[in-house]
mmCIF file with all atom_site columns, all heavy atoms in Angstrom:
data_model
loop_
_atom_site.group_PDB
_atom_site.id
_atom_site.type_symbol
_atom_site.label_atom_id
_atom_site.label_alt_id
_atom_site.label_comp_id
_atom_site.label_asym_id
_atom_site.label_entity_id
_atom_site.label_seq_id
_atom_site.pdbx_PDB_ins_code
_atom_site.Cartn_x
_atom_site.Cartn_y
_atom_site.Cartn_z
_atom_site.occupancy
_atom_site.B_iso_or_equiv
_atom_site.pdbx_formal_charge
_atom_site.auth_seq_id
_atom_site.auth_comp_id
_atom_site.auth_asym_id
_atom_site.auth_atom_id
_atom_site.pdbx_PDB_model_num
ATOM 1   N N   . PRO V 1 81 ? 15.818 -13.185 9.807  1.00 54.00 ? 81 PRO V N   1
ATOM 2   C CA  . PRO V 1 81 ? 16.260 -12.298 8.720  1.00 54.00 ? 81 PRO V CA  1
ATOM 3   C C   . PRO V 1 81 ? 15.113 -11.481 8.121  1.00 54.00 ? 81 PRO V C   1
ATOM 4   O O   . PRO V 1 81 ? 14.117 -12.048 7.691  1.00 54.00 ? 81 PRO V O   1
ATOM 5   C CB  . PRO V 1 81 ? 16.815 -13.267 7.664  1.00 54.00 ? 81 PRO V CB  1
ATOM 6   C CG  . PRO V 1 81 ? 17.021 -14.552 8.372  1.00 54.00 ? 81 PRO V CG  1
ATOM 7   C CD  . PRO V 1 81 ? 16.068 -14.581 9.525  1.00 54.00 ? 81 PRO V CD  1
ATOM 8   N N   . PRO V 1 82 ? 15.232 -10.152 8.096  1.00 55.00 ? 82 PRO V N   1
ATOM 9   C CA  . PRO V 1 82 ? 14.171 -9.305  7.546  1.00 55.00 ? 82 PRO V CA  1
ATOM 10  C C   . PRO V 1 82 ? 13.871 -9.600  6.078  1.00 55.00 ? 82 PRO V C   1
ATOM 11  O O   . PRO V 1 82 ? 12.764 -9.411  5.634  1.00 55.00 ? 82 PRO V O   1
ATOM 12  C CB  . PRO V 1 82 ? 14.705 -7.889  7.707  1.00 55.00 ? 82 PRO V CB  1
ATOM 13  C CG  . PRO V 1 82 ? 15.831 -7.972  8.660  1.00 55.00 ? 82 PRO V CG  1
ATOM 14  C CD  . PRO V 1 82 ? 16.332 -9.377  8.640  1.00 55.00 ? 82 PRO V CD  1
ATOM 15  N N   . ALA V 1 83 ? 14.855 -10.085 5.327  1.00 53.00 ? 83 ALA V N   1
ATOM 16  C CA  . ALA V 1 83 ? 14.638 -10.366 3.905  1.00 53.00 ? 83 ALA V CA  1
ATOM 17  C C   . ALA V 1 83 ? 13.574 -11.434 3.713  1.00 53.00 ? 83 ALA V C   1
ATOM 18  O O   . ALA V 1 83 ? 12.790 -11.388 2.768  1.00 53.00 ? 83 ALA V O   1
ATOM 19  C CB  . ALA V 1 83 ? 15.948 -10.809 3.251  1.00 53.00 ? 83 ALA V CB  1
ATOM 20  N N   . ILE V 1 84 ? 13.524 -12.399 4.605  1.00 52.00 ? 84 ILE V N   1
ATOM 21  C CA  . ILE V 1 84 ? 12.517 -13.452 4.504  1.00 52.00 ? 84 ILE V CA  1
ATOM 22  C C   . ILE V 1 84 ? 11.136 -12.851 4.733  1.00 52.00 ? 84 ILE V C   1
ATOM 23  O O   . ILE V 1 84 ? 10.184 -13.158 4.026  1.00 52.00 ? 84 ILE V O   1
ATOM 24  C CB  . ILE V 1 84 ? 12.803 -14.587 5.513  1.00 52.00 ? 84 ILE V CB  1
ATOM 25  C CG1 . ILE V 1 84 ? 14.083 -15.307 5.092  1.00 52.00 ? 84 ILE V CG1 1
ATOM 26  C CG2 . ILE V 1 84 ? 11.631 -15.560 5.595  1.00 52.00 ? 84 ILE V CG2 1
ATOM 27  C CD1 . ILE V 1 84 ? 14.567 -16.340 6.074  1.00 52.00 ? 84 ILE V CD1 1
ATOM 28  N N   . LEU V 1 85 ? 11.020 -11.965 5.713  1.00 52.00 ? 85 LEU V N   1
ATOM 29  C CA  . LEU V 1 85 ? 9.738  -11.315 5.965  1.00 52.00 ? 85 LEU V CA  1
ATOM 30  C C   . LEU V 1 85 ? 9.325  -10.449 4.786  1.00 52.00 ? 85 LEU V C   1
ATOM 31  O O   . LEU V 1 85 ? 8.158  -10.393 4.440  1.00 52.00 ? 85 LEU V O   1
ATOM 32  C CB  . LEU V 1 85 ? 9.813  -10.462 7.231  1.00 52.00 ? 85 LEU V CB  1
ATOM 33  C CG  . LEU V 1 85 ? 9.792  -11.226 8.549  1.00 52.00 ? 85 LEU V CG  1
ATOM 34  C CD1 . LEU V 1 85 ? 10.004 -10.262 9.697  1.00 52.00 ? 85 LEU V CD1 1
ATOM 35  C CD2 . LEU V 1 85 ? 8.493  -11.982 8.727  1.00 52.00 ? 85 LEU V CD2 1
ATOM 36  N N   . ALA V 1 86 ? 10.284 -9.782  4.158  1.00 52.00 ? 86 ALA V N   1
ATOM 37  C CA  . ALA V 1 86 ? 9.956  -8.928  3.017  1.00 52.00 ? 86 ALA V CA  1
ATOM 38  C C   . ALA V 1 86 ? 9.340  -9.764  1.907  1.00 52.00 ? 86 ALA V C   1
ATOM 39  O O   . ALA V 1 86 ? 8.366  -9.363  1.275  1.00 52.00 ? 86 ALA V O   1
ATOM 40  C CB  . ALA V 1 86 ? 11.205 -8.204  2.521  1.00 52.00 ? 86 ALA V CB  1
ATOM 41  N N   . GLY V 1 87 ? 9.887  -10.936 1.658  1.00 53.00 ? 87 GLY V N   1
ATOM 42  C CA  . GLY V 1 87 ? 9.320  -11.821 0.647  1.00 53.00 ? 87 GLY V CA  1
ATOM 43  C C   . GLY V 1 87 ? 7.948  -12.321 1.051  1.00 53.00 ? 87 GLY V C   1
ATOM 44  O O   . GLY V 1 87 ? 7.048  -12.460 0.234  1.00 53.00 ? 87 GLY V O   1
ATOM 45  N N   . ALA V 1 88 ? 7.767  -12.575 2.329  1.00 53.00 ? 88 ALA V N   1
ATOM 46  C CA  . ALA V 1 88 ? 6.485  -13.080 2.819  1.00 53.00 ? 88 ALA V CA  1
ATOM 47  C C   . ALA V 1 88 ? 5.403  -12.015 2.736  1.00 53.00 ? 88 ALA V C   1
ATOM 48  O O   . ALA V 1 88 ? 4.224  -12.337 2.620  1.00 53.00 ? 88 ALA V O   1
ATOM 49  C CB  . ALA V 1 88 ? 6.635  -13.557 4.260  1.00 53.00 ? 88 ALA V CB  1
ATOM 50  N N   . ALA V 1 89 ? 5.789  -10.753 2.791  1.00 52.00 ? 89 ALA V N   1
ATOM 51  C CA  . ALA V 1 89 ? 4.804  -9.678  2.747  1.00 52.00 ? 89 ALA V CA  1
ATOM 52  C C   . ALA V 1 89 ? 4.410  -9.306  1.322  1.00 52.00 ? 89 ALA V C   1
ATOM 53  O O   . ALA V 1 89 ? 3.529  -8.498  1.124  1.00 52.00 ? 89 ALA V O   1
ATOM 54  C CB  . ALA V 1 89 ? 5.356  -8.440  3.458  1.00 52.00 ? 89 ALA V CB  1
ATOM 55  N N   . ASN V 1 90 ? 5.041  -9.909  0.332  1.00 53.00 ? 90 ASN V N   1
ATOM 56  C CA  . ASN V 1 90 ? 4.707  -9.635  -1.059 1.00 53.00 ? 90 ASN V CA  1
ATOM 57  C C   . ASN V 1 90 ? 3.319  -10.185 -1.347 1.00 53.00 ? 90 ASN V C   1
ATOM 58  O O   . ASN V 1 90 ? 3.087  -11.388 -1.277 1.00 53.00 ? 90 ASN V O   1
ATOM 59  C CB  . ASN V 1 90 ? 5.762  -10.279 -1.972 1.00 53.00 ? 90 ASN V CB  1
ATOM 60  C CG  . ASN V 1 90 ? 5.524  -9.940  -3.425 1.00 53.00 ? 90 ASN V CG  1
ATOM 61  O OD1 . ASN V 1 90 ? 4.435  -9.535  -3.825 1.00 53.00 ? 90 ASN V OD1 1
ATOM 62  N ND2 . ASN V 1 90 ? 6.542  -10.120 -4.230 1.00 53.00 ? 90 ASN V ND2 1
ATOM 63  N N   . ALA V 1 91 ? 2.369  -9.314  -1.678 1.00 52.00 ? 91 ALA V N   1
ATOM 64  C CA  . ALA V 1 91 ? 0.974  -9.730  -1.853 1.00 52.00 ? 91 ALA V CA  1
ATOM 65  C C   . ALA V 1 91 ? 0.806  -10.756 -2.972 1.00 52.00 ? 91 ALA V C   1
ATOM 66  O O   . ALA V 1 91 ? -0.094 -11.582 -2.923 1.00 52.00 ? 91 ALA V O   1
ATOM 67  C CB  . ALA V 1 91 ? 0.108  -8.511  -2.127 1.00 52.00 ? 91 ALA V CB  1
ATOM 68  N N   . ASP V 1 92 ? 1.682  -10.724 -3.985 1.00 52.00 ? 92 ASP V N   1
ATOM 69  C CA  . ASP V 1 92 ? 1.568  -11.687 -5.080 1.00 52.00 ? 92 ASP V CA  1
ATOM 70  C C   . ASP V 1 92 ? 1.894  -13.099 -4.625 1.00 52.00 ? 92 ASP V C   1
ATOM 71  O O   . ASP V 1 92 ? 1.444  -14.068 -5.225 1.00 52.00 ? 92 ASP V O   1
ATOM 72  C CB  . ASP V 1 92 ? 2.515  -11.322 -6.230 1.00 52.00 ? 92 ASP V CB  1
ATOM 73  C CG  . ASP V 1 92 ? 2.102  -10.028 -6.902 1.00 52.00 ? 92 ASP V CG  1
ATOM 74  O OD1 . ASP V 1 92 ? 0.939  -9.629  -6.743 1.00 52.00 ? 92 ASP V OD1 1
ATOM 75  O OD2 . ASP V 1 92 ? 2.940  -9.426  -7.581 1.00 52.00 ? 92 ASP V OD2 1
ATOM 76  N N   . ASP V 1 93 ? 2.695  -13.224 -3.582 1.00 51.00 ? 93 ASP V N   1
ATOM 77  C CA  . ASP V 1 93 ? 3.125  -14.537 -3.124 1.00 51.00 ? 93 ASP V CA  1
ATOM 78  C C   . ASP V 1 93 ? 2.348  -15.029 -1.911 1.00 51.00 ? 93 ASP V C   1
ATOM 79  O O   . ASP V 1 93 ? 2.593  -16.114 -1.428 1.00 51.00 ? 93 ASP V O   1
ATOM 80  C CB  . ASP V 1 93 ? 4.620  -14.500 -2.749 1.00 51.00 ? 93 ASP V CB  1
ATOM 81  C CG  . ASP V 1 93 ? 5.480  -14.139 -3.945 1.00 51.00 ? 93 ASP V CG  1
ATOM 82  O OD1 . ASP V 1 93 ? 5.029  -14.364 -5.075 1.00 51.00 ? 93 ASP V OD1 1
ATOM 83  O OD2 . ASP V 1 93 ? 6.584  -13.621 -3.737 1.00 51.00 ? 93 ASP V OD2 1
ATOM 84  N N   . TYR V 1 94 ? 1.413  -14.250 -1.427 1.00 52.00 ? 94 TYR V N   1
ATOM 85  C CA  . TYR V 1 94 ? 0.698  -14.609 -0.205 1.00 52.00 ? 94 TYR V CA  1
ATOM 86  C C   . TYR V 1 94 ? -0.174 -15.842 -0.429 1.00 52.00 ? 94 TYR V C   1
ATOM 87  O O   . TYR V 1 94 ? -0.941 -15.920 -1.362 1.00 52.00 ? 94 TYR V O   1
ATOM 88  C CB  . TYR V 1 94 ? -0.171 -13.450 0.270  1.00 52.00 ? 94 TYR V CB  1
ATOM 89  C CG  . TYR V 1 94 ? -0.936 -13.764 1.528  1.00 52.00 ? 94 TYR V CG  1
ATOM 90  C CD1 . TYR V 1 94 ? -0.295 -13.744 2.748  1.00 52.00 ? 94 TYR V CD1 1
ATOM 91  C CD2 . TYR V 1 94 ? -2.275 -14.114 1.485  1.00 52.00 ? 94 TYR V CD2 1
ATOM 92  C CE1 . TYR V 1 94 ? -0.968 -14.048 3.913  1.00 52.00 ? 94 TYR V CE1 1
ATOM 93  C CE2 . TYR V 1 94 ? -2.958 -14.419 2.643  1.00 52.00 ? 94 TYR V CE2 1
ATOM 94  C CZ  . TYR V 1 94 ? -2.310 -14.388 3.848  1.00 52.00 ? 94 TYR V CZ  1
ATOM 95  O OH  . TYR V 1 94 ? -2.978 -14.699 4.993  1.00 52.00 ? 94 TYR V OH  1
ATOM 96  N N   . ILE V 1 95 ? -0.032 -16.825 0.430  1.00 56.00 ? 95 ILE V N   1
ATOM 97  C CA  . ILE V 1 95 ? -0.831 -18.043 0.370  1.00 56.00 ? 95 ILE V CA  1
ATOM 98  C C   . ILE V 1 95 ? -1.766 -18.099 1.566  1.00 56.00 ? 95 ILE V C   1
ATOM 99  O O   . ILE V 1 95 ? -2.937 -18.397 1.450  1.00 56.00 ? 95 ILE V O   1
ATOM 100 C CB  . ILE V 1 95 ? 0.073  -19.301 0.353  1.00 56.00 ? 95 ILE V CB  1
ATOM 101 C CG1 . ILE V 1 95 ? 0.931  -19.285 -0.904 1.00 56.00 ? 95 ILE V CG1 1
ATOM 102 C CG2 . ILE V 1 95 ? -0.769 -20.553 0.435  1.00 56.00 ? 95 ILE V CG2 1
ATOM 103 C CD1 . ILE V 1 95 ? 2.019  -20.312 -0.908 1.00 56.00 ? 95 ILE V CD1 1
#
Side-chain angles (χ1 to χ4, degrees):
I84 292 173
L85 285 175
N90 184 341
D92 293 341
D93 299 336
Y94 180 77
I95 297 169

